[in-house]
Amino acid sequence: SFGQGKTSRVMQYPEVRREHLPVEEGGQHGANFRGVHRLNRDEAGRVKCVACMMCPTICPARCIHIQAAESPWDDREKYPAKFEIDELRCIYCGMCEEACPCDAIELTPHYEVTGLSRNELIFDKSKLLRVYDETVGEKPM
């Protein structure tokens, strides 16, 4: 019969979830794995992003869209009035994370991105900050 004698890689998702990511050199699980984005907060709870436009400039998939505005705070000139990432268009390369001079954007180890429409998978500033609030205790990859 089909598949007999071979190891099956089929998982009954969502009942069974992928707990162990591939082992990289040095024995680290998922060292190069990149999942859902988060937008970090500073010590005062404000968005860390200063709308420098480095992440949308470097993004090869062109999935990051920022609209800058004058900052209401004295310690920076600009902040993102609008910040969106199209999670369906993203290729999870991590270049946005590398380009950010203030560590405002990070990719988390979470891979479950679901939605019933395309609009649900365009993460706006509030959703990206909510991901931070839910994963603040976790160290990104």
Coordinates of all heavy atoms in Angstrom, one line a residue, residues 39-105:
L39 N 6.1 44.5 16.8 CA 6.6 45.9 16.9 C 6.8 46.2 18.3 O 5.9 46.1 19.2 CB 5.6 46.8 16.3 CG 6.0 48.2 15.8 CD1 7.2 48.1 14.8 CD2 4.9 48.9 15.1
N40 N 8.1 46.4 18.7 CA 8.5 46.5 20.1 C 8.1 47.9 20.7 O 7.9 48.9 20.0 CB 10.0 46.3 20.2 CG 10.4 44.9 20.0 OD1 9.6 44.0 20.1 ND2 11.6 44.7 19.5
R41 N 7.9 47.9 22.0 CA 7.7 49.1 22.8 C 8.9 49.5 23.6 O 9.7 48.6 23.9 CB 6.5 48.8 23.8 CG 5.2 48.5 23.2 CD 4.2 48.3 24.3 NE 2.9 47.8 23.8 CZ 1.9 48.6 23.4 NH1 2.1 49.9 23.4 NH2 0.8 48.1 22.9
D42 N 9.0 50.8 23.9 CA 10.1 51.2 24.7 C 9.8 51.1 26.2 O 8.7 50.6 26.5 CB 10.6 52.6 24.3 CG 9.5 53.7 24.6 OD1 8.5 53.4 25.2 OD2 9.7 54.8 24.1
E43 N 10.6 51.6 27.1 CA 10.4 51.5 28.5 C 9.1 52.2 28.9 O 8.5 51.8 30.0 CB 11.5 52.1 29.3 CG 12.9 51.4 29.0 CD 13.5 51.9 27.7 OE1 13.3 53.1 27.4 OE2 14.2 51.1 27.1
A44 N 8.7 53.2 28.2 CA 7.5 54.0 28.5 C 6.2 53.4 27.9 O 5.1 54.0 28.0 CB 7.7 55.4 28.1
G45 N 6.4 52.3 27.2 CA 5.2 51.6 26.6 C 4.9 52.2 25.2 O 3.9 51.8 24.6
R46 N 5.7 53.1 24.7 CA 5.4 53.7 23.3 C 6.1 52.8 22.3 O 7.0 52.1 22.5 CB 6.1 55.1 23.3 CG 5.6 56.0 24.3 CD 6.4 57.3 24.3 NE 7.8 57.0 24.5 CZ 8.8 58.0 24.5 NH1 8.5 59.2 24.4 NH2 10.0 57.6 24.7
V47 N 5.6 52.9 21.0 CA 6.2 52.2 19.9 C 7.6 52.7 19.8 O 7.9 53.9 19.8 CB 5.4 52.4 18.6 CG1 5.3 53.8 18.2 CG2 5.9 51.5 17.5
K48 N 8.6 51.7 19.6 CA 10.0 52.0 19.5 C 10.3 52.6 18.1 O 11.3 53.3 18.0 CB 10.8 50.8 19.7 CG 11.4 50.5 21.0 CD 12.4 49.4 21.0 CE 13.1 49.3 22.3 NZ 14.1 48.2 22.3
C49 N 9.5 52.4 17.1 CA 9.8 52.8 15.8 C 9.9 54.3 15.7 O 9.1 55.0 16.3 CB 8.7 52.3 14.9 SG 8.9 52.8 13.1
V50 N 10.9 54.8 14.9 CA 11.1 56.2 14.7 C 10.8 56.6 13.3 O 11.1 57.7 12.8 CB 12.5 56.7 15.1 CG1 12.7 56.5 16.6 CG2 13.6 56.0 14.4
A51 N 10.1 55.7 12.5 CA 9.7 55.9 11.1 C 10.9 56.4 10.3 O 10.8 57.3 9.5 CB 8.6 56.9 11.1
C52 N 12.0 55.7 10.4 CA 13.2 56.0 9.6 C 13.1 55.5 8.2 O 13.9 55.8 7.3 CB 14.5 55.5 10.3 SG 14.6 53.7 10.3
M53 N 12.2 54.6 7.9 CA 11.9 54.0 6.6 C 13.0 53.0 6.1 O 13.0 52.7 5.0 CB 11.7 55.1 5.5 CG 10.6 56.0 5.8 SD 9.0 55.2 6.0 CE 8.0 56.5 6.4
M54 N 13.8 52.5 7.0 CA 14.8 51.5 6.6 C 14.2 50.2 6.3 O 14.6 49.6 5.3 CB 15.9 51.3 7.8 CG 16.7 52.5 8.0 SD 17.9 52.9 6.7 CE 19.0 51.6 6.9
C55 N 13.2 49.7 7.1 CA 12.6 48.4 6.8 C 11.8 48.4 5.5 O 12.0 47.4 4.7 CB 11.8 47.9 8.0 SG 10.5 49.0 8.6
P56 N 11.0 49.3 5.2 CA 10.3 49.2 3.9 C 11.3 49.4 2.7 O 11.0 48.9 1.6 CB 9.3 50.3 3.9 CG 9.6 51.3 5.0 CD 10.5 50.5 6.0
T57 N 12.4 50.1 2.9 CA 13.3 50.4 1.9 C 14.1 49.1 1.5 O 14.3 48.8 0.4 CB 14.3 51.5 2.3 OG1 13.6 52.7 2.5 CG2 15.4 51.7 1.2
I58 N 14.4 48.3 2.5 CA 15.3 47.1 2.3 C 14.4 45.9 2.0 O 14.9 44.9 1.5 CB 16.2 46.9 3.5 CG1 17.3 46.0 3.1 CG2 15.4 46.3 4.7 CD1 18.5 46.0 4.0
C59 N 13.1 45.9 2.3 CA 12.3 44.7 2.2 C 12.2 44.3 0.7 O 11.6 45.0 -0.1 CB 10.9 45.0 2.7 SG 9.7 43.7 2.5
P60 N 12.6 43.1 0.4 CA 12.6 42.6 -1.0 C 11.1 42.3 -1.5 O 10.8 42.3 -2.7 CB 13.4 41.3 -1.0 CG 13.5 40.9 0.4 CD 13.3 42.1 1.2
A61 N 10.2 42.0 -0.5 CA 8.9 41.7 -0.9 C 8.0 42.9 -0.9 O 6.8 42.8 -1.3 CB 8.3 40.6 0.1
R62 N 8.5 44.0 -0.5 CA 7.7 45.3 -0.5 C 6.4 45.1 0.3 O 5.3 45.5 -0.1 CB 7.4 45.8 -1.9 CG 8.6 46.0 -2.7 CD 9.2 47.4 -2.3 NE 10.4 47.6 -3.2 CZ 11.6 47.9 -2.7 NH1 11.8 47.9 -1.4 NH2 12.6 48.2 -3.4
C63 N 6.5 44.5 1.5 CA 5.3 44.2 2.2 C 5.1 45.1 3.5 O 4.1 44.9 4.2 CB 5.3 42.7 2.7 SG 6.6 42.3 3.8
I64 N 6.0 46.0 3.7 CA 6.0 46.9 4.8 C 5.6 48.3 4.3 O 6.2 48.8 3.4 CB 7.3 46.9 5.6 CG1 7.7 45.5 6.1 CG2 7.2 47.9 6.8 CD1 9.1 45.4 6.7
H65 N 4.6 48.9 5.0 CA 4.1 50.2 4.6 C 4.0 51.1 5.8 O 3.3 50.7 6.8 CB 2.8 50.1 3.9 CG 2.8 49.2 2.7 ND1 3.4 49.5 1.5 CD2 2.3 47.9 2.6 CE1 3.3 48.5 0.7 NE2 2.6 47.5 1.3
I66 N 4.8 52.2 5.8 CA 4.8 53.1 7.0 C 4.4 54.5 6.5 O 4.9 55.0 5.5 CB 6.2 53.2 7.6 CG1 6.7 51.8 8.1 CG2 6.3 54.2 8.7 CD1 8.1 51.8 8.6
Q67 N 3.6 55.1 7.3 CA 3.2 56.5 7.1 C 3.8 57.3 8.3 O 3.3 57.1 9.4 CB 1.7 56.7 6.9 CG 1.3 58.0 6.5 CD -0.2 58.0 6.2 OE1 -1.0 57.5 7.0 NE2 -0.6 58.6 5.1
A68 N 4.7 58.2 8.1 CA 5.4 58.9 9.2 C 4.6 60.1 9.6 O 3.9 60.7 8.7 CB 6.8 59.3 8.8
A69 N 4.7 60.5 10.8 CA 4.1 61.8 11.3 C 5.0 62.4 12.3 O 5.9 61.7 12.8 CB 2.7 61.4 11.9
E70 N 4.8 63.7 12.6 CA 5.6 64.4 13.6 C 5.3 63.7 15.0 O 4.1 63.5 15.3 CB 5.2 65.8 13.6 CG 6.1 66.7 14.4 CD 5.8 68.1 14.3 OE1 5.5 68.6 13.2 OE2 5.9 68.8 15.4
S71 N 6.3 63.5 15.7 CA 6.2 62.8 17.0 C 5.6 63.7 18.0 O 6.0 64.8 18.2 CB 7.6 62.3 17.4 OG 7.5 61.8 18.7
P72 N 4.7 63.1 18.8 CA 4.2 63.9 20.0 C 5.1 63.9 21.2 O 4.8 64.6 22.2 CB 2.9 63.1 20.3 CG 3.1 61.8 19.9 CD 4.0 61.8 18.7
W73 N 6.2 63.2 21.1 CA 7.2 63.1 22.2 C 8.4 63.9 21.8 O 8.8 64.1 20.7 CB 7.5 61.7 22.4 CG 6.4 60.8 22.6 CD1 5.4 60.9 23.5 CD2 6.0 59.7 21.7 NE1 4.4 59.9 23.3 CE2 4.7 59.2 22.2 CE3 6.5 59.2 20.5 CZ2 4.1 58.1 21.5 CZ3 5.8 58.2 19.9 CH2 4.6 57.6 20.4
D74 N 9.1 64.4 22.9 CA 10.3 65.3 22.7 C 11.5 64.5 22.3 O 12.5 65.2 21.8 CB 10.5 66.1 24.0 CG 9.4 67.1 24.2 OD1 8.8 67.5 23.3 OD2 9.3 67.5 25.4
D75 N 11.6 63.3 22.5 CA 12.9 62.5 22.3 C 13.0 62.0 20.9 O 14.0 61.3 20.6 CB 13.0 61.4 23.3 CG 11.9 60.4 23.2 OD1 10.8 60.7 22.6 OD2 12.0 59.2 23.7
R76 N 12.1 62.3 20.0 CA 12.3 61.8 18.6 C 11.5 62.8 17.7 O 10.6 63.4 18.1 CB 11.8 60.4 18.4 CG 10.4 60.2 18.8 CD 10.0 58.7 18.7 NE 10.2 58.1 20.0 CZ 9.7 56.9 20.3 NH1 9.0 56.2 19.4 NH2 9.9 56.4 21.5
E77 N 11.9 62.8 16.4 CA 11.3 63.7 15.4 C 10.0 63.1 14.9 O 9.0 63.8 14.6 CB 12.3 64.0 14.3 CG 13.4 64.9 14.7 CD 14.4 65.1 13.6 OE1 13.9 65.1 12.4 OE2 15.6 65.3 13.9
K78 N 10.1 61.8 14.5 CA 9.0 61.1 13.9 C 8.6 59.9 14.6 O 9.3 59.3 15.4 CB 9.4 60.8 12.4 CG 9.8 61.9 11.5 CD 10.1 61.5 10.1 CE 11.3 60.5 10.1 NZ 11.6 60.1 8.7
Y79 N 7.4 59.4 14.3 CA 6.9 58.1 14.7 C 5.9 57.6 13.6 O 5.5 58.4 12.8 CB 6.2 58.2 16.1 CG 4.7 58.6 16.0 CD1 3.8 57.7 16.4 CD2 4.3 59.9 15.6 CE1 2.4 58.0 16.3 CE2 3.0 60.2 15.6 CZ 2.0 59.3 15.9 OH 0.7 59.6 15.8
P80 N 5.6 56.3 13.6 CA 4.7 55.8 12.6 C 3.3 56.0 12.9 O 2.7 55.5 13.8 CB 5.1 54.3 12.5 CG 5.5 54.0 13.9 CD 6.2 55.2 14.4
A81 N 2.6 56.9 12.2 CA 1.2 57.1 12.3 C 0.5 55.9 11.8 O -0.6 55.5 12.3 CB 0.7 58.4 11.6
K82 N 1.1 55.3 10.8 CA 0.5 54.0 10.2 C 1.7 53.1 10.0 O 2.7 53.5 9.4 CB -0.2 54.4 8.9 CG -0.8 53.2 8.2 CD -1.5 53.7 6.9 CE -2.0 52.5 6.1 NZ -2.6 53.0 4.9
F83 N 1.6 51.8 10.4 CA 2.6 50.8 10.2 C 1.9 49.5 9.8 O 1.1 49.0 10.6 CB 3.4 50.7 11.4 CG 4.7 49.9 11.2 CD1 5.9 50.5 11.4 CD2 4.7 48.5 10.9 CE1 7.1 49.8 11.3 CE2 5.9 47.8 10.7 CZ 7.1 48.4 10.9
E84 N 2.1 49.0 8.6 CA 1.4 47.8 8.2 C 2.4 46.8 7.6 O 3.4 47.2 6.9 CB 0.4 48.0 7.2 CG -0.8 48.8 7.7 CD -1.9 49.0 6.6 OE1 -1.6 48.9 5.4 OE2 -3.0 49.4 7.0
I85 N 2.2 45.5 7.9 CA 3.0 44.4 7.3 C 2.0 43.4 6.7 O 1.1 42.9 7.4 CB 3.9 43.7 8.3 CG1 4.9 44.7 8.9 CG2 4.6 42.6 7.6 CD1 5.9 44.1 9.9
D86 N 2.1 43.1 5.4 CA 1.3 42.1 4.8 C 2.0 40.8 5.0 O 2.9 40.4 4.3 CB 1.2 42.4 3.3 CG 0.2 41.5 2.6 OD1 -0.1 40.4 3.1 OD2 -0.3 41.9 1.5
E87 N 1.5 40.0 6.0 CA 2.1 38.8 6.4 C 2.0 37.7 5.2 O 2.7 36.7 5.2 CB 1.4 38.2 7.6 CG 1.7 39.1 8.9 CD 3.1 39.0 9.4 OE1 3.8 38.0 9.2 OE2 3.5 40.0 10.1
L88 N 1.0 37.9 4.3 CA 0.9 36.9 3.2 C 2.0 37.2 2.1 O 2.4 36.3 1.4 CB -0.5 37.0 2.6 CG -1.6 36.5 3.4 CD1 -2.9 36.7 2.7 CD2 -1.4 35.0 3.7
R89 N 2.3 38.4 2.0 CA 3.3 38.8 1.0 C 4.8 38.6 1.5 O 5.7 38.4 0.7 CB 3.1 40.2 0.6 CG 3.9 40.7 -0.6 CD 3.5 42.1 -1.0 NE 4.4 42.4 -2.1 CZ 3.9 42.7 -3.3 NH1 2.6 42.8 -3.5 NH2 4.7 43.0 -4.3
C90 N 4.9 38.7 2.8 CA 6.3 38.6 3.4 C 6.9 37.3 3.1 O 6.3 36.2 3.1 CB 6.1 38.8 4.9 SG 7.7 38.7 5.8
I91 N 8.3 37.3 2.9 CA 9.0 36.1 2.7 C 9.8 35.7 3.9 O 10.6 34.8 3.9 CB 9.9 36.2 1.4 CG1 10.9 37.3 1.6 CG2 9.1 36.3 0.2 CD1 12.0 37.4 0.5
Y92 N 9.6 36.4 5.0 CA 10.3 36.1 6.3 C 11.8 36.0 6.2 O 12.4 35.1 6.7 CB 9.6 34.9 7.0 CG 8.2 35.1 7.2 CD1 7.2 34.7 6.2 CD2 7.7 35.7 8.3 CE1 5.9 34.9 6.4 CE2 6.4 36.0 8.5 CZ 5.5 35.6 7.6 OH 4.1 35.8 7.8
C93 N 12.4 36.9 5.5 CA 13.8 36.9 5.3 C 14.6 37.5 6.5 O 15.8 37.2 6.7 CB 14.2 37.6 4.0 SG 13.8 39.4 4.0
G94 N 14.0 38.4 7.3 CA 14.6 39.0 8.4 C 15.4 40.2 8.1 O 16.0 40.8 9.0
M95 N 15.3 40.7 6.9 CA 16.1 41.9 6.5 C 15.6 43.1 7.2 O 16.3 44.0 7.6 CB 16.1 42.1 5.0 CG 16.9 41.0 4.3 SD 17.0 41.2 2.6 CE 18.2 42.5 2.4
C96 N 14.3 43.2 7.5 CA 13.7 44.3 8.2 C 14.3 44.4 9.6 O 14.6 45.5 10.1 CB 12.2 44.2 8.2 SG 11.5 42.7 9.0
E97 N 14.4 43.3 10.2 CA 14.9 43.2 11.6 C 16.4 43.6 11.6 O 16.8 44.3 12.5 CB 14.8 41.7 12.1 CG 15.1 41.5 13.5 CD 14.8 40.0 13.8 OE1 14.9 39.1 13.0 OE2 14.5 39.8 15.0
E98 N 17.1 43.2 10.6 CA 18.6 43.6 10.6 C 18.7 45.0 10.3 O 19.7 45.7 10.8 CB 19.3 42.7 9.5 CG 19.3 41.3 9.8 CD 20.2 40.9 10.9 OE1 21.3 41.6 11.1 OE2 19.9 40.0 11.7
A99 N 17.9 45.6 9.4 CA 18.0 47.0 9.0 C 17.6 48.0 10.1 O 18.1 49.2 10.1 CB 17.2 47.3 7.8
C100 N 16.7 47.6 11.0 CA 16.2 48.5 12.0 C 17.3 49.0 13.0 O 17.8 48.2 13.7 CB 15.0 47.9 12.8 SG 14.2 49.0 13.9
P101 N 17.5 50.4 13.0 CA 18.5 50.9 13.9 C 18.1 51.0 15.4 O 19.0 51.1 16.2 CB 18.8 52.3 13.3 CG 17.5 52.7 12.7 CD 16.9 51.4 12.2
C102 N 16.9 50.8 15.7 CA 16.4 50.9 17.1 C 15.7 49.7 17.6 O 15.0 49.7 18.6 CB 15.5 52.2 17.2 SG 14.1 52.2 16.1
D103 N 15.9 48.6 16.9 CA 15.4 47.3 17.3 C 13.9 47.3 17.6 O 13.3 46.8 18.5 CB 16.0 46.7 18.6 CG 17.5 46.4 18.4 OD1 17.8 46.0 17.3 OD2 18.3 46.6 19.3
A104 N 13.2 48.0 16.7 CA 11.7 48.2 16.8 C 10.9 47.0 16.2 O 9.9 46.7 16.7 CB 11.3 49.5 16.1
I105 N 11.5 46.4 15.2 CA 10.8 45.3 14.6 C 11.6 44.0 14.8 O 12.8 43.9 14.7 CB 10.5 45.5 13.1 CG1 9.6 44.5 12.5 CG2 11.8 45.7 12.3 CD1 9.0 44.9 11.2

